[in-house]
Amino acid sequence: TKWKASGDRFRAIVEEWRGSPHAERSYEQELWKRLSHARSTFEKRRRAWFAARDAERTEAVAVKEKIVKEAEALASSKDWGPTANAFRGLMQRWKAAGPATREAENELWARFKAAQDTFFTARSEVFSERDAEQQQNLQAKQQLAEEAERLLPVKDLAAARSSLRSIQDRWAQIGHVPRGDKERIENRL
């Protein structure tokens, strides 16, 4: 399957043949048939190999085109977890599809990457906003925890109970905090 080197070697052998002295005609014809047959067999195998390779590349283009269309359909999804998993699956299918022609590969990859980037950029922006909101919620809950801690030691039970109820009501309205801080801040209150 070293097509280039073998093809070059066959050409060199034919040139050697043409430059060598002639032998008896029937003997020379028999040798030429053997050389010609070997060369023809090599060329048939080479053409078949390249035809199979072209067919594989054509199939890869079709598979990757389908993958790109699926990716483009997912690009605007707001279902973050399942869609991220779907993109991972599409990437695995992309790799398994094999290589396509260079031009098609570049064009299809650009489209796939654009769809993927659209989705993951939107997801990242939403997660950044959510993280910032949760950090603000954590600060608010820390302030409420400090307010609750100032009630200790309890001197006036009725006033402390009223203040704590107010703190708990405001606490419930604040919202989520980062997962890693939730248990700590809950225990603090």
Side-chain angles (χ1 to χ4, degrees), residues 27-44:
Y27 181 67
E28 193 171 305
Q29 285 178 340
E30 179 63 31
L31 291 175
W32 178 252
K33 281 183 184 178
R34 287 175 55 196
L35 175 60
S36 180
H37 177 70
R39 198 167 96 190
S40 294
T41 302
F42 169 78
E43 285 297 322
K44 285 178 189 173

Side-chain angles (χ1 to χ4, degrees), residues 108-135:
L108 291 169
W109 177 251
R111 287 176 51 203
F112 179 80
K113 187 77 172 119
Q116 194 177 37
D117 289 348
T118 298
F119 170 77
F120 283 107
T121 299
R123 184 182 82 152
S124 180
E125 288 172 0
V126 167
F127 283 7
S128 293
E129 289 172 14
R130 185 197 65 191
D131 291 347
E133 181 182 328
Q134 287 183 354
Q135 283 298 325

Side-chain angles (χ1 to χ4, degrees), residues 16-181:
E16 265 183 69
W17 175 272
R18 289 184 180 142
S20 62
H22 295 285
E24 182 183 322
R25 186 169 181 88
S26 62
Y27 181 67
E28 193 171 305
Q29 285 178 340
E30 179 63 31
L31 291 175
W32 178 252
K33 281 183 184 178
R34 287 175 55 196
L35 175 60
S36 180
H37 177 70
R39 198 167 96 190
S40 294
T41 302
F42 169 78
E43 285 297 322
K44 285 178 189 173
R45 286 186 56 233
R46 184 175 72 90
R47 281 193 298 275
W49 187 85
F50 280 106
R53 190 168 168 210
D54 288 345
E56 289 170 1
R57 286 183 171 174
T58 301
E59 176 64 23
V61 168
V63 169
K64 288 182 177 184
E65 179 68 36
K66 184 178 177 189
I67 291 169
V68 166
K69 287 180 180 176
E70 289 178 46
E72 289 171 341
L74 291 172
S76 61
S77 174
K78 303 295 182 223
D79 199 7
W80 307 123
T83 305
N85 289 335
F87 268 109
R88 282 187 208 95
L90 290 175
M91 181 60 80
Q92 289 171 348
R93 286 174 44 205
W94 180 279
K95 291 176 183 177
T101 60
R102 184 177 306 235
E103 300 81 25
E105 184 86 22
N106 290 341
E107 186 265 330
L108 291 169
W109 177 251
R111 287 176 51 203
F112 179 80
K113 187 77 172 119
Q116 194 177 37
D117 289 348
T118 298
F119 170 77
F120 283 107
T121 299
R123 184 182 82 152
S124 180
E125 288 172 0
V126 167
F127 283 7
S128 293
E129 289 172 14
R130 185 197 65 191
D131 291 347
E133 181 182 328
Q134 287 183 354
Q135 283 298 325
Q136 289 175 348
N137 292 345
L138 177 61
Q139 290 174 358
K141 285 189 176 186
Q142 286 172 338
Q143 290 172 353
L144 289 177
E146 290 169 7
E147 187 178 330
E149 289 168 346
R150 285 193 294 269
L151 296 174
L152 297 176
V154 176
K155 295 180 180 150
D156 181 0
L157 185 60
R161 186 175 290 150
S162 175
S163 294
L164 186 58
R165 195 170 296 124
S166 170
I167 291 170
Q168 288 173 328
D169 288 343
R170 288 180 284 159
W171 184 280
Q173 292 174 356
I174 289 177
H176 295 289
V177 297
R179 187 176 297 169
D181 296 312

